[in-house]
Amino acid sequence: MPAPTADLFPDDALQQPAGREQIGDESHVLRGYALPWIERLLPSLRQVLAQSPFRQMVTPGGFTMSAALSSCGELGWTTDAHGYRYSPLDPRSQRPWPAMPDVLRQLAVQAAADAGFIGFAPDACLINRYVPGAKMSLHQDKNERRYDAPVVSVSLGLPAIFLFGGHARSDRAQKVSLFHGDVVVWGGIDRLRFHGVMPIQEGLHPVMGPQRINLTFRTAG
Ligand code: SIN
Ligand code: FE2
């Protein structure tokens, strides 16, 4: 007689922890992973943004990015006419970026470990703010000094369609819907895959309002 649970637990459900979706050999979406952290995370995020507010940055090619940016941690990602780079100083204030709050670091380290990357030590957290219509073109994260650490990406607020491509810009990209509290982790052989975000649709998120905020943690230095 078959085990009574056979129909309830198909093979793939037994192999994958609940809410963990594999999107690449070493890439996962951890559904709702950040939800239990949000109440502690938001006040810290607000403090960071009071010190280093969102601002619109310009690409080396002269285009204003539609997402507004800020950072916390030892290094912050910036772009201007001279190029893309990490800097220890907020170019707006010429002072160090706000420290990475413990709650943010712990969330990123635990999510990385649950996606198979033990010992993640992020020194940079880029904060992207998307209002409806804002997007992020396909790109690789490659301004970091080394690529052995993963990228950990936390989505807050309005939903997004995340594009997860291959190693060439022209490779067909998977479309992955991301919701408030979802965390994406990609690393190892997937670390340099192209990715981006389709234009955010109009909406009003009950907690975050009319915006999406994304936090991406990296080891940059
Ligand atoms: C990024 O690639 O820096 C941001 C990705 C996202 O907003 O989901
Ligand atoms: Fe990126």
Side-chain angles (χ1 to χ4, degrees):
M1 198 176 106
T5 53
D7 290 343
L8 292 176
F9 298 103
D11 286 352
D12 56 348
L14 290 174
Q15 282 157 14
Q16 294 211 0
R20 187 171 115 165
E21 293 172 21
Q22 189 157 7
I23 57 170
D25 285 340
E26 295 187 82
S27 309
H28 292 88
V29 179
L30 309 176
R31 293 288 177 200
Y33 193 91
L35 290 177
W37 299 70
I38 300 265
E39 223 172 294
R40 284 198 298 140
L41 181 154
L42 290 182
S44 297
L45 186 58
R46 243 174 252 127
Q47 281 182 16
V48 164
L49 293 169
Q51 277 177 260
S52 281
F54 284 120
R55 79 294 305 268
Q56 227 84 34
M57 289 191 189
V58 177
T59 66
F63 295 101
T64 300
M65 292 182 66
S66 62
L69 274 57
S70 184
S71 278
C72 62
E74 287 158 59
L75 294 168
W77 186 86
T78 66
T79 173
D80 61 20
H82 304 291
Y84 303 119
R85 63 189 168 278
Y86 281 95
S87 164
L89 301 182
D90 176 345
R92 186 173 165 276
S93 63
Q94 290 300 320
R95 294 167 48 124
W97 295 102
M100 189 185 297
D102 285 343
V103 55
L104 296 195
R105 184 188 307 275
Q106 285 162 13
L107 167 60
V109 169
Q110 280 195 30
D114 284 348
F117 299 96
I118 308 279
F120 182 43
D123 58 11
C125 171
L126 171 65
I127 310 167
N128 286 304
R129 175 182 196 252
Y130 302 80
V131 293
K135 66 182 175 72
M136 183 80 67
S137 304
L138 275 182
H139 66 278
Q140 295 167 293
D141 287 4
K142 58 176 191 184
N143 298 124
E144 299 72 32
R145 208 198 296 271
R146 302 160 50 147
Y147 304 132
D148 47 2
V151 178
V152 173
S153 161
V154 177
S155 290
L156 303 171
L158 291 177
I161 298 176
F162 181 64
L163 298 170
F164 195 54
H167 285 91
R169 188 182 293 278
S170 56
D171 289 347
R172 213 176 65 84
Q174 298 174 57
K175 290 182 176 164
V176 181
S177 293
L178 294 182
F179 302 95
H180 184 63
D182 288 348
V183 178
V184 187
V185 181
W186 65 97
I189 65 168
D190 292 329
R191 175 61 178 74
L192 287 175
R193 283 174 69 162
F194 277 86
H195 58 279
V197 176
M198 290 181 61
I200 300 297
Q201 302 288 302
E202 292 287 342
L204 190 61
H205 187 271
V207 177
M208 304 300 293
Q211 61 179 344
R212 170 174 188 262
I213 292 182
N214 176 261
L215 313 173
T216 40
F217 297 87
R218 307 184 187 87
T219 306

